[in-house]
Amino acid sequence: MTSTAVTTRAEAKPAQAGKKRVAPWRNPWRRPYVLSTITWLYILWTTVPVLIAVQFSFNDGRSRSTWQGFSTQWYCCVEGSVGEDPSLLLALKNSLFLGGATVLVATPLGVALAMGLTRWRSRTSKVANGIAMVPLVTPEIVLGSALYVVMVNLYQFVPLGRPAMLLGHVTFSVSYVLVIVRSRLLSIGGDYEEAARDLGASPIQAIRTILIPLLMPSIFASAMIVFATSLDDFVVSQFLFGDASNITVPIKLYNAVRAAPTPALNALATLLLAGSFLALILAYVGLRAHRRGSRSPLDDLADYG
Amino acid sequence: MSFDPTDPAWRHRPRHRPQLSRRAFLRGGLWLGAGIGAAPLLASCNNAYPAVQSAGYPLARPNNPVRLPIRDSNPPIENGLEPETGGDFKILNYDAYMAPGIMKDFGDRHGVQVQVTPYSNYDEMLAKIRTPGESFDLVFPGPSVLSKMVYAELLQPMNHSYVPNLKNLWPEYQDPWYDRGARYTVPYTIYGTGVMYRADRVTSIPDNGYDLMWDEAYAGKVYLLDDLSEAIGMSLLRNHITKDINTGDPAFVQEATNSIIDLIGRVNVKTDVSAYSEVPEGTATIHQSWSGDPIAGQYYLPKGETPDVLGYWRPKDPKDRVIGSDNIAIPKSAAKPVLSHMMINDLLDNDIALRNFGWNGYQPPLNKLSARYLIDQGYIPENLMSAVVLPEDFDFGLTFYEVTPDIEALWRQFWAEFKAGG
Amino acid sequence: MGEQEDRHDRATRRLWPALALPGTFWLIALFLVPIYAVMAVAFSASINIFGEPVPAWNPLDWRYATFFDVVQASVTGPYQEVWIRTGVYCVVALVICVVVGFPVAYYTARLAGKRRGLILALILAPWWINYITRMLAWINLLQDDGYVNKTLGIFGIAPVDWLSGNSYTVVLALAYGYLPFFIIPLFASLDRIDQRLLEASRDLGSGSVRTFLRVTLPLSKMGLITALVITALPMAGDYYTNTLVSGSPKTNMIGNQIELFLLQGPLKHYGASLVLLLSLVLMFFMAYYLILTQRAGRDAQ
């Protein structure tokens, strides 16, 4: 993976003496107005509805589409609000804990898998590599139904609910970690470790002291992605939750939208948003602290393709 | 003879139906029903699924009551046990069917967290209760699934020593036709099925009120109950196909299904079980609903609206009305069976039952809480009198009861076709 | 030193497989085995008292009757409509994704200049926002008295019923939901195109359009295909978007049928058969993507 210098040429007009003026639309270095507009419109299209939803979580009244005044009642403490309805808080707690647990299990598993598969040259590893990539492209409904079928019919010692959900979330998360960490591993190459071993380190020492610090940005990026995907997951959770004590926020929102929605749902969604952005900021800070090279942490994050 | 897909001889085997029209598929669906997913159209030689036309146990009917067995492998709990405490008390129920205040009080009194896992129809309920490793403390089955659950040992028999409030029940329900001696269940609510509508938007009610659902003037705001028996049954009645709402005649069921499939194109019909909130909020103008929904709907009206805007239609002749009951039963897997009995006893208490009715709108069949009493107490406004269920209705009305597996599979196939968008 | 190197090499050779083992074992137990379980249920040979299939773990016991019925129903029966509808919705939604997503990705990757970090953060933001929350937000706006209808009212257009069985709503919701997942891999691949190639092309006299068609597009082909595959596959199995923005059977996708059979009834062998059929249909695209990534991985090594 070569790092590309970000160009700023787009903003500079080559001022060459004696050159005749080029028509604005023929100038290849003109400001990209059209693309810029499209991009900003897209950004508005994606974020404004969510901001409006957040706004309505502070609505004084039952409507989610007619503004009736500002109030924090749906957070606390009118009947049906997040504070009063234990099922809403429970859903939030379940989502956050499941996300955290998934990160703790999937990240080491995925990092080890990435290291193992990248460095291990054999046909078996190629097969394992292929298998590990399939969950990424499997539709969630296939994965969710397969896990449901196997939990109910074969792995009956694993109760539906938190254990089953954790297993399911880790399964699709491992592939994300694998892809992110592996691409970084490939670009790092084996030179540093070889140098370390020439100096007398054992392979495990080399990994611990050299490789893992080098991989830190990718490990952080993948942890963030795993957390976000787990929080976001709906299908696998819906198939595996079993009963009400394991409902996560997406399931709660989904069920409630079809029944009797109130702005308490918006409040719940806002709280989850706050939770995941908090995690995002924490990880961003962590990434910056370990930053190597000129790549912005966001590039690392985006670069899992 | 085994079916070998790689055997070239099989590939050239002539099909019985060279052109598979929808009618042919539906007939194929009937074979499916008869063989429960068997009778392969490509004629494999295995008899994969033998046709199950009898259930293997007596099916309860109003004119053929059953006494459910109590087996040694599934005895009721002992007398005089102490109630359990601590942890979760798990209820498997329809959504918004029990007053949260009652559940909270019960939980506080006994030191448990009461939780409800919701379902929208019995299929979902059965799927949840049958999940290995799952345990629920209370479940709310109806007569159409009761025997099946008992014979599959999903329910445990009740110990009446914990439920003295049984005497509060209507006499008919202390000894119902689907559970003689109330061995496994007590009734929770009684209800009818009809059409709930916005009185301020509906100009006139036809004699056959079901026709409201087919009226294109309300397109986009028409809802069916997300329950295959209720939806197809209503179509059987509306189209005067048959009065037997448990029929196994494939032609009847097909005609009824075609009629509701027609609704998809005509009025953009949708399905759910939330009439109690959608009609008051205006999302729905016409909603097939149970009789408790309009009464509970008063609670969901937005600020400033009165119960006048709600209306409920049901057939004029009691013999044409669909009625039913939901019951409370204790799953065999219950972790807190003593508490289960105690909650059942609570729900049969007149005051608690009245409070529950005030919240969910469904009448409990208790002697003290007669229709007259409820009206006098102001729970039921004048314009919603048709939502009241009387004891006489249960003498004449039509009810869903448990059918044989092949008939059930038949209805399911047609329902799946409706759900596929026709 | 030679002996030590030998020992090191042997230790290293055993180390990497050992590291890969837990992850591989996990994927086998929780990915491959569940797929096998789906087949065991789809090809089951008997039904219990509730009409549920008993899984057939031994392949010799597999009966294909149900599966063939489902295939028949999909090819010429009532499910044909559902499959076609799913395909059409996905294709249209993907077209919208490309039309909107490619310019956005291109701009962010190559032309954003000083504001690149900010724009990148804003583009990544939807990824952190729960999918259902985003749909919820749009449902709010599309309600009868929501802002969309209110805005239409300003222009004198009658309020539209967006949320009942409206296929436009479903397609737009799919595009809205999956655009962030489409843009990100596309962005990554456009980001990697060497600027010097583009400059060289310009220096050689190509206009910007020709540069785009002749240089940028081919170079980003891999990224575009990755993005399409990563978006199309989950979209094909989507069912919750449809349930949220349209409760009507008129817009049911194949995922809805699967959910109906698996979670709301005992006919789980039908659900499992549909899952298998869906996987087979998508297998083509999945395999293509895997081959491409293996090839790219080999190139990178």
Side-chain angles (χ1 to χ4, degrees):
Chain A
M1 224 165 31
T2 58
S3 67
T4 315
V6 175
T7 180
T8 52
R9 289 287 288 273
E11 303 201 328
K13 287 196 181 132
Q16 292 175 9
K19 249 335 191 124
K20 73 170 179 225
R21 289 283 296 272
V22 183
W25 59 88
R26 282 187 181 246
N27 183 350
W29 307 117
R30 73 180 183 283
R31 289 251 174 86
Y33 289 120
V34 176
L35 290 180
S36 166
T37 321
I38 294 180
T39 308
W40 283 105
L41 279 177
Y42 166 74
I43 291 177
L44 282 178
W45 185 42
T46 3
T47 44
V48 166
V50 178
L51 292 174
I52 296 181
V54 171
Q55 174 204 358
F56 274 99
S57 71
F58 294 104
N59 197 12
D60 183 19
R62 280 185 79 104
S63 171
R64 283 153 54 236
S65 40
T66 316
W67 184 248
Q68 292 163 305
F70 185 90
S71 134
T72 55
Q73 62 176 355
W74 295 109
Y75 290 89
C76 180
C77 288
V78 88
E79 177 167 1
S81 69
V82 178
E84 284 299 303
D85 188 344
S87 69
L88 295 176
L89 269 181
L90 181 65
L92 190 60
K93 224 177 0 158
N94 283 337
S95 273
L96 292 174
F97 278 157
L98 196 56
T102 309
V103 169
L104 289 177
V105 176
T107 315
L109 209 57
V111 170
L113 189 63
M115 290 198 282
L117 287 181
T118 322
R119 296 297 162 82
W120 176 23
R121 302 280 160 81
S122 86
R123 206 169 294 151
T124 326
S125 89
K126 285 203 171 53
V127 171
N129 217 359
I131 296 176
M133 297 292 286
V134 179
L136 272 182
V137 292
T138 314
E140 282 186 292
I141 192 170
V142 172
L143 187 60
S145 17
L147 283 169
Y148 173 74
V149 164
V150 88
M151 293 292 171
V152 167
N153 289 305
L154 190 59
Y155 298 156
Q156 285 162 352
F157 49 87
V158 179
L160 287 190
R162 280 193 207 109
M165 289 162 92
L166 177 61
L167 293 181
H169 283 217
V170 170
T171 308
F172 63 72
S173 301
V174 163
S175 308
Y176 283 113
V177 180
L178 173 66
V179 172
I180 296 174
V181 173
R182 184 179 56 186
S183 59
R184 180 62 133 182
L185 260 177
L186 289 175
S187 71
I188 287 177
D191 301 334
Y192 297 104
E193 285 159 80
E194 258 194 62
R197 288 202 292 119
D198 285 344
L199 292 170
S202 76
I204 298 192
Q205 272 180 321
I207 292 179
R208 196 160 43 85
T209 54
I210 304 288
L211 200 50
I212 293 205
L214 278 177
L215 285 175
M216 261 320 178
S218 300
I219 295 182
F220 262 105
S222 54
M224 285 158 74
I225 289 181
V226 167
F227 188 68
T229 344
S230 167
L231 239 53
D232 195 17
D233 176 77
F234 171 73
V235 180
V236 172
S237 307
Q238 191 200 20
F239 274 91
L240 297 178
F241 74 91
D243 66 54
S245 57
N246 302 307
I247 286 186
T248 57
V249 175
I251 300 176
K252 187 77 194 160
L253 292 177
Y254 181 76
N255 286 340
V257 166
R258 298 188 295 168
T262 64
L265 294 184
N266 296 45
L268 183 63
T270 311
L271 286 173
L272 188 69
L273 208 59
S276 42
F277 269 108
L278 201 64
L280 171 63
I281 291 173
L282 282 173
Y284 186 85
V285 165
L287 254 182
R288 277 189 90 106
H290 284 271
R291 186 156 52 115
R292 295 266 190 278
S294 61
R295 289 178 63 85
S296 138
L298 286 172
D299 287 286
D300 280 336
L301 193 55
D303 211 16
Y304 79 91
Chain B
M1 189 157 82
S2 65
F3 175 63
D4 179 3
T6 62
D7 184 348
W10 285 101
R11 292 206 202 103
H12 297 298
R13 194 176 180 87
R15 295 189 189 182
H16 295 292
R17 286 175 281 273
Q19 281 170 318
L20 210 57
S21 66
R22 176 188 291 183
R23 186 167 280 268
F25 171 71
L26 286 180
R27 222 176 286 131
L30 168 62
W31 280 109
L32 235 56
I36 311 185
L41 297 177
L42 293 181
S44 93
C45 280
N46 320 305
N47 265 334
Y49 310 128
V52 182
Q53 268 146 352
S54 87
Y57 50 83
L59 293 174
R61 299 279 179 273
N63 55 1
N64 186 17
V66 295
R67 189 173 295 273
L68 297 166
I70 298 187
R71 297 188 180 139
D72 293 331
S73 56
N74 188 12
I77 59 174
E78 306 275 311
N79 291 342
L81 294 174
E82 282 301 308
E84 306 89 350
T85 185
D88 294 333
F89 184 76
K90 305 197 317 197
I91 300 182
L92 186 57
N93 200 355
Y94 285 95
D95 212 0
Y97 206 23
M98 196 188 299
I102 293 181
M103 295 195 279
K104 188 160 188 298
D105 285 350
F106 184 82
D108 290 341
R109 228 181 313 140
H110 296 282
V112 290
Q113 285 279 0
V114 180
Q115 276 172 357
V116 177
T117 303
Y119 54 81
S120 15
N121 48 53
Y122 289 142
D123 282 338
E124 252 182 84
M125 180 267 281
L126 287 171
K128 286 197 159 6
I129 200 174
R130 285 182 45 67
T131 310
E134 254 324 322
S135 93
F136 292 97
D137 297 301
L138 273 188
V139 68
F140 290 73
S144 61
V145 288
L146 185 56
S147 296
K148 189 184 333 202
M149 293 177 78
V150 168
Y151 280 89
E153 293 201 13
L154 288 177
L155 303 175
Q156 57 172 280
M158 287 200 314
N159 182 332
H160 290 181
S161 70
Y162 293 97
V163 194
N165 283 337
L166 267 176
K167 58 178 168 16
N168 292 347
L169 283 169
W170 293 357
E172 302 91 301
Y173 275 102
Q174 296 185 30
D175 200 26
W177 50 270
Y178 50 81
D179 185 15
R180 276 266 186 262
R183 288 179 157 192
Y184 282 88
T185 65
V186 301
Y188 180 55
T189 60
I190 50 173
Y191 56 84
T193 314
V195 180
M196 187 174 168
Y197 59 89
R198 287 285 299 218
D200 56 340
R201 290 193 207 155
V202 171
T203 41
S204 71
I205 317 282
D207 276 339
N208 184 354
Y210 295 125
D211 285 341
L212 282 171
M213 307 206 60
W214 273 261
D215 191 339
E216 277 147 42
Y218 309 114
K221 297 204 181 292
V222 179
Y223 285 74
L224 277 172
L225 279 172
D226 191 10
D227 181 309
L228 69 102
S229 312
E230 297 279 9
I232 299 182
M234 188 264 295
S235 183
L236 286 171
L237 294 174
R238 182 253 176 182
N239 295 302
H240 304 293
I241 301 174
T242 172
K243 281 236 185 150
D244 177 13
I245 53 178
N246 296 285
T247 179
D249 187 330
F252 289 167
V253 184
Q254 178 180 329
E255 200 187 324
T257 312
N258 288 346
S259 183
I260 53 174
I261 289 178
D262 177 46
L263 277 179
I264 300 177
R266 189 193 280 250
V267 295
N268 216 335
V269 77
K270 296 189 278 282
T271 61
D272 63 38
V273 294
S274 317
Y276 55 86
S277 67
E278 286 179 349
V279 178
E281 289 179 357
T283 322
T285 304
I286 312 280
H287 201 313
Q288 184 192 17
S289 79
W290 292 300
S291 61
D293 289 334
I295 301 180
Q298 302 171 72
Y299 173 71
Y300 290 86
L301 287 165
K303 250 188 279 206
E305 303 232 23
T306 63
D308 294 343
V309 305
L310 301 175
Y312 179 78
W313 177 88
R314 59 170 182 181
K316 230 189 291 250
D317 189 345
K319 291 203 215 51
D320 294 335
R321 296 179 191 156
V322 177
I323 47 100
S325 67
D326 277 332
N327 308 288
I328 327 176
I330 308 179
K332 183 174 178 188
S333 62
K336 301 180 163 55
V338 181
L339 278 187
S340 307
H341 284 85
M342 298 183 75
M343 181 170 248
I344 292 179
N345 196 43
D346 275 0
L347 291 169
L348 293 177
D349 172 83
N350 287 321
D351 296 321
I352 296 181
L354 183 63
R355 186 174 163 199
N356 203 20
F357 165 76
W359 194 87
N360 71 12
Y362 285 85
Q363 289 162 250
L366 300 182
N367 292 319
K368 180 166 176 214
L369 307 183
S370 64
R372 190 75 260 161
Y373 179 83
L374 297 173
I375 295 171
D376 289 342
Q377 293 286 315
Y379 284 96
I380 306 180
E382 278 295 321
N383 63 316
L384 295 179
M385 292 277 277
S386 51
V388 172
V389 183
L390 302 168
E392 303 81 77
D393 291 337
F394 285 83
D395 295 330
F396 300 119
L398 309 166
T399 187
F400 294 104
Y401 44 73
E402 192 170 340
V403 293
T404 55
D406 55 331
I407 297 183
E408 220 183 284
L410 176 72
W411 281 59
R412 279 229 175 74
Q413 289 292 348
F414 284 109
W415 183 242
E417 201 192 310
F418 166 75
K419 284 276 181 152
Chain C
M1 257 325 215
E3 234 183 65
Q4 218 179 4
E5 264 177 30
D6 280 341
R7 247 183 286 137
H8 268 170
D9 283 339
R10 251 180 288 133
T12 315
R13 270 203 301 272
R14 262 175 295 157
L15 176 62
W16 302 123
L19 277 178
L21 216 55
T24 316
F25 177 69
W26 185 285
L27 285 171
I28 292 177
L30 284 166
F31 187 71
L32 291 183
V33 172
I35 304 278
Y36 185 77
V38 171
M39 291 197 273
V41 169
F43 303 140
S44 94
S46 58
I47 311 257
N48 63 20
I49 182 180
F50 282 92
E52 289 174 355
V54 175
W57 297 110
N58 186 346
L60 298 173
D61 292 331
W62 285 357
R63 303 284 173 262
Y64 304 97
T66 315
F67 185 69
F68 282 129
D69 287 336
V70 169
V71 172
Q72 292 273 13
S74 302
V75 170
T76 53
Y79 297 155
Q80 180 196 46
E81 242 185 274
V82 185
W83 283 102
I84 293 179
R85 199 186 295 142
T86 309
V88 167
Y89 286 0
C90 288
V91 165
V92 177
L94 282 174
V95 166
I96 297 178
C97 283
V98 173
V99 164
V100 175
F102 201 99
V104 173
Y106 187 79
Y107 177 76
T108 316
R110 314 212 62 83
L111 303 173
K114 288 186 290 248
R115 300 224 201 88
R116 180 189 155 105
L118 171 65
I119 294 187
L120 191 53
L122 287 172
I123 296 225
L124 289 177
W127 217 16
W128 299 99
I129 306 175
N130 201 301
Y131 187 100
I132 309 258
T133 308
R134 287 190 288 140
M135 283 303 140
L136 201 68
W138 265 106
I139 292 173
N140 279 3
L141 295 178
L142 291 175
Q143 278 180 326
D144 291 338
D145 57 342
Y147 283 157
V148 171
N149 274 341
K150 285 200 183 114
T151 318
L152 288 180
I154 296 179
F155 293 107
I157 307 176
V160 179
D161 197 1
W162 295 103
L163 293 173
S164 57
N166 192 333
S167 18
Y168 296 111
T169 316
V170 179
V171 170
L172 279 173
L174 283 173
Y176 181 77
Y178 286 92
L179 256 171
F181 304 108
F182 178 82
I183 287 184
I184 289 168
L186 195 54
F187 161 84
S189 112
L190 284 172
D191 191 32
R192 271 182 238 155
I193 296 177
D194 201 336
Q195 176 67 7
R196 290 169 293 180
L197 292 169
L198 296 182
E199 287 175 26
S201 159
R202 298 255 173 83
D203 287 343
L204 289 171
S206 302
S208 39
V209 178
R210 282 189 73 186
T211 306
F212 178 75
L213 288 175
R214 289 289 176 83
V215 182
T216 317
L217 211 47
L219 285 174
S220 63
K221 190 173 74 151
M222 172 66 188
L224 187 58
I225 291 176
T226 308
L228 279 173
V229 170
I230 281 187
T231 316
L233 260 38
M235 201 191 277
D238 185 293
Y239 63 94
Y240 41 97
T241 310
N242 173 51
T243 318
L244 283 173
V245 301
S246 148
S248 163
K250 201 160 75 163
T251 53
N252 265 1
M253 296 171 67
I254 198 65
N256 292 95
Q257 290 303 111
I258 296 179
E259 186 210 9
L260 177 71
F261 279 124
L262 278 176
L263 287 183
Q264 290 181 28
L267 297 178
K268 303 202 195 298
H269 40 313
Y270 279 82
S273 299
L274 276 175
V275 168
L276 282 180
L277 195 53
L278 180 66
S279 306
L280 284 175
V281 167
L282 297 175
M283 198 83 86
F284 171 68
F285 302 101
M286 279 197 239
Y288 186 46
Y289 175 73
L290 288 175
I291 293 173
L292 279 179
T293 43
Q294 293 280 47
R295 212 183 291 155
R298 241 181 295 135
D299 289 343
Q301 284 172 22

